[in-house]
Amino acid sequence: MTFKNRTSYLLITALLMQFAVCAQTETTTTIYLIGDSTMADYTGDYDPDKDYMETRYPVAGWGQVFQPFFVKDSLKQVENIIYGTDVIVDDRARGGRSTRTFFQEGRWSSVYKNLKPHDIVIMQFGHNDAAENKPERYVDIEGYKEFLRLFVSQSREKGAMPIILTPVARNYPWEDGVLNDVHGDYDKAPKEVAQEMDVHLIDLNKLSREYFTTKGKDFVTQTYFMNLPAGKYKAYPEGQSDNTHFQPAGAQAVAQLVYDDLKRIATETIKPKPYTIETTYQKLKKYYPEVQPISLNNTSEVICVQNVVYKTTNSQALKADVFIPNKKKNNYPTVLLIHGGGWISGSKENQQVMAQQLAENGFVAVAINYTLSTEAPFPQAVIDIKEALQWMRTNANNFKINPQQIAILGTSAGAQLATLVGVTPNNTTFKTANTITDEVQAIVNVDGITSFVHPEAEESEIAGKWLGGLKDENPANWKAASPLEYVDANTPPTLFINSDQPRFHAGRDDMISKLNSHHIYAEVHTFPNSPHSFWLLHPWFQPTVTYTVDFLKKTLK
């Protein structure tokens, strides 16, 4: 055994010991709060072994009172940025911390390692970064911006949504009844980072100054900030004069400002309807009472390596789930699986059951996420998929992939993408980062169109969002994204598995005619009386697997 083969064998053995079945998607969104004392939660374990009411009360950060905003009725107002049915506010803010010290103390790393896709990271710093007289926490403007960039980029790596806040106002300086800005460049810097990185911004400095102005200096000083008379609170027997930190009423007012601006962000955010196995089942069972959702086989011995990063973009880390047959063989023919969802939704989890079944039939199966139209338009998703193929070939030995026997399978919008990738090997129109071939040896199209411009095709706003405008607004993209335009003598064998919904067959018959003219093998199977998304449901799933396996055994030789 060579060293290279030994390394590959040991890697697969280790994976076999650690992974059996991929995990299911979580349904809770966690909102992480990272920042300073004005955001902190002083209850719980903020001061271990100390009673908050005895030693801290009434000081309160606005994060301390943020959780109650996320109940059933109020969740509806921010549902476009919330995935799942529940929200947990995890307040990691800490007094005296700047962006630098928050990072250096490992507080950010503890958030980062727990982040999952669709979580939210709300960051509010600046008070302590600007403390030039306290060198242990001070950060200059460029450093402040760099740490904000780090928090943003690493949040996006995990698929979380970062939101930058400008620092909340202090209770000075007042002039002619108006509360003015005290933060200067430390207010401007977060805005510049937000614009530079195209990240949501809540201008809390402006919002809080304007709101406090409407309430008036005397009211705000006495009711919102920690200006306390002597003898009233046990923790402050001599009273307190503090125009930075909040009493509960002040914390509540600021939390309301943040929540209200989250509602604004939600209205500006397009959140597609969830497209999962479960939502498909719930949608279709009323029309097809006999159907059942597909699910992973928990007793399968297939190896599953989940959430391997195959590519990092400016906004996210794109990941793959790799299913490997549990057999003593060096390399296997391999299938890259592309999920559907109208180019705007869906995820690799929809393809896990198919991937597991393919692995049980002797294929390595790789299910990936790609850039959706909410993040970037055509052709970014195409380039992602081609780079996934290149990544598979680069890492072929690690995952028992035969780089000479790779098929691509897509469903719905994923089928259009898979077919387009399959008919454009090494095409300069879709230029990737390296020169490794992105060709495939077979295509499986499961109910996806092959042309956006064919007479059978129906125009849709969903496609228009991905293609940069409707057909008459951007005809070049509508044509460039049509696989039928590229079919030639080098097109690989192609399998079509279809519902009986005609609009998902657009261009198929003409593509088959072209393949026949070049003596390229093609198959078609249509399920009568079947809905679109049939592959996510029984009784159609198993025949879909059978057609696919039989076709791949014929073509991946």
Side-chain angles (χ1 to χ4, degrees):
M1 181 183 294
T2 66
F3 176 76
K4 185 174 183 181
N5 287 341
R6 186 189 304 276
T7 301
S8 177
Y9 174 80
L10 291 174
L11 173 62
I12 295 299
T13 301
L15 294 174
L16 176 59
M17 294 171 63
Q18 295 178 43
F19 299 93
V21 178
C22 283
Q24 300 297 317
T25 304
E26 296 190 40
T27 59
T28 298
T29 296
T30 302
I31 299 178
Y32 290 94
L33 306 181
I34 65 171
D36 55 39
S37 55
T38 60
M39 181 196 248
D41 181 352
Y42 294 96
T43 62
D45 61 356
Y46 188 89
D47 288 318
D49 304 321
K50 290 185 179 180
D51 187 319
Y52 165 66
M53 298 301 294
E54 296 277 336
T55 62
R56 288 276 190 178
Y57 182 79
V59 69
W62 64 261
Q64 187 171 319
V65 295
F66 204 44
Q67 180 71 65
F69 286 89
F70 299 95
V71 295
K72 184 176 180 180
D73 291 339
S74 59
L75 271 177
K76 293 179 182 178
Q77 301 179 69
V78 292
E79 63 182 359
N80 277 6
I81 57 174
I82 301 297
Y83 286 75
T85 56
D86 297 292
V87 168
I88 294 174
V89 174
D90 189 337
D91 191 348
R92 303 293 184 95
R94 193 80 181 179
R97 270 58 181 186
S98 61
T99 51
R100 174 177 59 81
T101 58
F102 195 88
F103 175 81
Q104 289 175 335
E105 293 173 3
R107 297 180 186 279
W108 169 246
S109 66
S110 70
V111 172
Y112 175 76
K113 72 180 181 181
N114 289 307
L115 278 178
K116 62 183 187 300
H118 307 307
D119 283 346
I120 298 173
V121 179
I122 298 179
M123 57 194 79
Q124 180 217 279
F125 293 93
H127 280 245
N128 296 301
D129 297 77
E132 195 168 358
N133 62 331
K134 296 179 179 179
E136 72 277 6
R137 62 180 71 171
Y138 171 68
V139 186
D140 64 21
I141 288 296
E142 286 308 311
Y144 177 44
K145 293 170 71 173
E146 194 58 35
F147 279 110
L148 289 176
R149 292 186 188 106
L150 174 70
F151 299 150
V152 168
S153 62
Q154 291 196 341
S155 296
R156 285 173 164 171
E157 281 178 17
K158 289 292 196 78
M161 172 190 284
I163 300 176
I164 298 177
L165 274 59
T166 55
V168 68
R170 297 182 192 266
N171 191 32
Y172 58 85
W174 287 84
E175 184 177 349
D176 297 328
V178 175
L179 179 57
N180 291 317
D181 174 45
V182 74
H183 296 298
D185 288 344
Y186 288 83
D187 170 70
K188 296 176 184 177
K191 298 174 185 175
E192 292 171 355
V193 173
Q195 183 174 15
E196 168 195 331
M197 301 189 75
D198 192 24
V199 61
H200 292 297
L201 175 85
I202 294 178
D203 193 350
L204 188 56
N205 184 26
K206 180 175 182 287
L207 291 171
S208 56
R209 284 190 292 111
E210 291 176 347
Y211 179 74
F212 293 162
T213 295
T214 66
K215 305 302 286 186
K217 180 180 179 180
D218 290 343
F219 178 86
V220 168
T221 300
Q222 296 171 18
T223 310
Y224 284 174
F225 286 89
M226 285 285 289
N227 295 292
L228 310 175
K232 184 173 182 179
Y233 298 103
K234 188 170 183 178
Y236 306 90
E238 297 180 1
Q240 179 88 342
S241 179
D242 179 350
N243 285 297
T244 294
H245 300 97
F246 302 114
Q247 297 184 54
Q252 182 72 26
V254 174
Q256 183 73 59
L257 294 174
V258 175
Y259 173 75
D260 287 344
D261 221 41
L262 281 182
K263 291 193 292 185
R264 172 190 61 82
I265 290 171
T267 61
E268 295 172 355
T269 301
I270 299 175
K271 178 187 174 184
K273 293 181 179 179
Y275 180 53
T276 66
I277 296 170
E278 180 61 24
T279 59
T280 299
Y281 169 63
Q282 294 298 334
K283 176 182 176 182
L284 293 177
K285 68 179 182 178
K286 66 184 81 171
Y287 307 108
Y288 302 87
E290 76 284 2
V291 300
Q292 291 295 322
I294 62 174
S295 61
L296 288 165
N297 176 7
N298 292 326
T299 63
S300 174
E301 295 184 355
V302 164
I303 302 166
C304 173
V305 188
Q306 190 176 21
N307 292 324
V308 184
V309 176
Y310 74 86
K311 175 183 177 180
T312 301
T313 72
N314 289 334
S315 62
Q316 62 185 318
L318 296 175
K319 299 178 182 179
D321 296 337
V322 185
F323 290 74
I324 306 168
N326 184 15
K327 299 177 183 177
K328 292 182 179 179
K329 183 177 177 181
N330 286 334
N331 291 326
Y332 296 89
T334 300
V335 185
L336 176 61
L337 294 97
I338 314 301
H339 69 79
W343 310 277
I344 196 172
S345 65
S347 72
K348 61 184 172 56
E349 284 70 24
N350 287 353
Q351 296 285 43
Q352 287 182 345
V353 184
M354 173 65 79
Q356 186 185 65
Q357 289 280 310
L358 289 172
E360 289 179 349
N361 280 277
F363 300 88
V364 172
V366 182
I368 65 167
N369 281 334
Y370 53 86
T371 302
L372 300 174
S373 62
T374 51
E375 292 287 335
F378 170 85
Q380 187 57 59
V382 182
I383 294 169
D384 293 343
I385 296 166
K386 286 176 173 283
E387 290 185 343
L389 286 163
Q390 294 169 331
W391 172 85
M392 288 163 60
R393 287 192 163 96
T394 301
N395 294 277
N397 285 338
N398 291 340
F399 297 105
K400 293 193 171 184
I401 292 170
N402 184 335
Q404 307 303 319
Q405 295 180 318
I406 297 180
I408 189 166
L409 179 154
T411 57
S412 190
Q416 175 273 326
L417 284 165
T419 307
L420 181 59
V421 168
V423 299
T424 57
N426 310 311
N427 190 303
T428 56
T429 301
F430 308 107
K431 193 175 178 72
T432 61
N434 59 56
T435 58
I436 298 171
T437 183
D438 57 42
E439 66 181 355
V440 298
Q441 284 66 56
I443 299 169
V444 179
N445 179 312
V446 183
D447 226 29
I449 66 171
T450 65
S451 176
F452 289 100
V453 295
H454 192 275
E456 296 170 349
E458 296 183 11
E459 187 173 24
S460 75
E461 292 184 3
I462 293 293
K465 178 173 177 55
W466 183 55
L467 294 171
L470 295 175
K471 191 187 300 184
D472 61 346
E473 297 170 328
N474 200 337
N477 274 2
W478 284 67
K479 183 176 182 179
S482 299
L484 183 60
E485 302 296 318
Y486 304 90
V487 177
D488 59 19
N490 297 314
T491 297
T494 303
L495 166 66
F496 294 93
I497 306 175
N498 288 113
S499 69
D500 68 355
Q501 311 295 313
R503 67 190 184 95
F504 297 105
H505 309 172
R508 180 196 66 187
D509 294 343
D510 281 4
M511 180 168 171
I512 291 172
S513 294
K514 281 190 174 185
L515 293 173
N516 288 340
S517 71
H518 293 294
H519 307 289
I520 297 168
Y521 182 72
E523 271 186 40
V524 182
H525 300 278
T526 301
F527 292 114
N529 303 315
S530 61
H532 188 54
S533 297
F534 60 84
W535 57 90
L536 298 178
L537 302 168
H538 297 297
W540 303 288
F541 172 71
Q542 209 57 52
T544 301
V545 174
T546 300
Y547 288 140
T548 299
V549 169
D550 289 348
F551 170 77
L552 294 176
K553 286 181 177 180
K554 291 176 187 175
T555 56
L556 293 184
K557 296 181 180 179

